[in-house]
C-alpha cells in the first residue's frame, strides 16, 4: 500500500508539474495572442491611414487639375485683356489725333482736356472689363474693388 501510495503520489506530482508547465505555456500563448491582437489593431489603423491618404491624394489631384484649368482661364483672360487694352489704346490715340487735327488746342488747357478724356475712357474701359470678368467668374464679386484696381493698373 505504501508503494501504491508512493506511485500515486509520484504521478500526482508529475501531473502537477505538467499542469504547471501547461499553465505557463497557456500564459505564453495568451501573451502572444494579445500581442497579435495589438499588432492587428495597429495594422488596421495603418490601413485606415493609407486609405485616407489615398483619398486625400485623389482629392489633391482633382484640386490641382481644377487649379490648372483656372490658371489657363486666367491666362486666357489676361491675353484677352491685353488685346482689349491694345485696341483701346489704338482707339484713344486715333481719337486724340483726330481731335487735335480738327480743333487744335494750346498749352496746358489742351493737355488737361486730353488727360480728362483719356482718363474717362480708361475708367469706362476698366468698368467694362470688370463687368466681363465678374460675369465670367462671379466668385470675384466680393473682391470687386481689388479687381477694378488691378484692371486699372494694367491699362
Amino acid at each position: 500500500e505504501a508503494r501504491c501510495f508512493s506511485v500515486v503520489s509520484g504521478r500526482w506530482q508529475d501531473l502537477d508539474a505538467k499542469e504547471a508547465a501547461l499553465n505557463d505555456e497557456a500564459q505564453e500563448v495568451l501573451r502572444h495572442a494579445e500581442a497579435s491582437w495589438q499588432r492587428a489593431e495597429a495594422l488596421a489603423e495603418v490601413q485606415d491611414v493609407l486609405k485616407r491618404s489615398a483619398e486625400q491624394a485623389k482629392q489633391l489631384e482633382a484640386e490641382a487639375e481644377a487649379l490648372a484649368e483656372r490658371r489657363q482661364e486666367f491666362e486666357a483672360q489676361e491675353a484677352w485683356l491685353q488685346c482689349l487694352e491694345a485696341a483701346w489704346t489704338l482707339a484713344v490715340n486715333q481719337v486724340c489725333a483726330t481731335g487735335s487735327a480738327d480743333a487744335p488746342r494750346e498749352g496746358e488747357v489742351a493737355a488737361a482736356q486730353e488727360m480728362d478724356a483719356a482718363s474717362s475712357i480708361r475708367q469706362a474701359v476698366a468698368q467694362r472689363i470688370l463687368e466681363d470678368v465678374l460675369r465670367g467668374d462671379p466668385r470675384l464679386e466680393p473682391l470687386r474693388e481689388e479687381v477694378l484696381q488691378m484692371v486699372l493698373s494694367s491699362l
Side-chain angles (χ1 to χ4, degrees):
E1 192 179 308
R3 193 173 146 235
C4 280
F5 181 73
S6 170
V7 170
V8 169
S9 180
R11 287 190 179 172
W12 276 112
Q13 286 175 356
D14 286 345
L15 281 175
D16 286 341
K18 287 181 182 181
E19 182 181 18
L22 189 58
N23 282 336
D24 289 343
E25 288 178 18
Q27 290 298 322
E28 185 68 23
V29 167
L30 283 174
R31 279 193 297 274
H32 286 293
E34 205 172 290
S36 293
W37 279 109
Q38 289 174 352
R39 284 192 295 270
E41 288 175 351
L43 182 59
E45 287 178 30
V46 168
Q47 287 174 331
D48 187 49
V49 168
L50 286 174
K51 180 181 175 185
R52 283 184 283 155
S53 296
E55 290 170 358
Q56 287 176 345
K58 286 181 183 178
Q59 184 179 3
L60 287 173
E61 287 175 7
E63 289 176 11
E65 287 177 20
L67 285 173
E69 288 176 15
R70 291 293 299 150
R71 181 175 178 224
Q72 287 178 342
E73 289 173 13
F74 282 126
E75 288 174 354
Q77 286 178 352
E78 184 179 351
W80 176 76
L81 288 173
Q82 289 174 354
C83 290
L84 191 59
E85 178 184 357
W88 277 103
T89 300
L90 179 62
V92 167
N93 288 338
Q94 288 175 345
V95 166
C96 289
T98 304
S100 297
D102 292 343
R105 298 184 183 117
E106 294 185 21
E108 294 179 11
V109 173
Q113 288 175 342
E114 286 181 12
M115 286 299 287
D116 286 342
S119 178
S120 295
I121 292 171
R122 185 171 171 257
Q123 284 290 334
V125 169
Q127 284 296 328
R128 187 157 186 182
I129 292 171
L130 174 67
E131 294 306 320
D132 285 347
V133 168
L134 293 178
R135 198 173 19 259
D137 189 355
R139 295 176 295 176
L140 294 174
E141 185 63 41
L143 303 170
R144 176 181 275 272
E145 286 303 314
E146 291 83 355
V147 174
L148 178 60
Q149 291 306 314
M150 290 171 53
V151 170
L152 282 170
S153 70
S154 71
L155 294 179

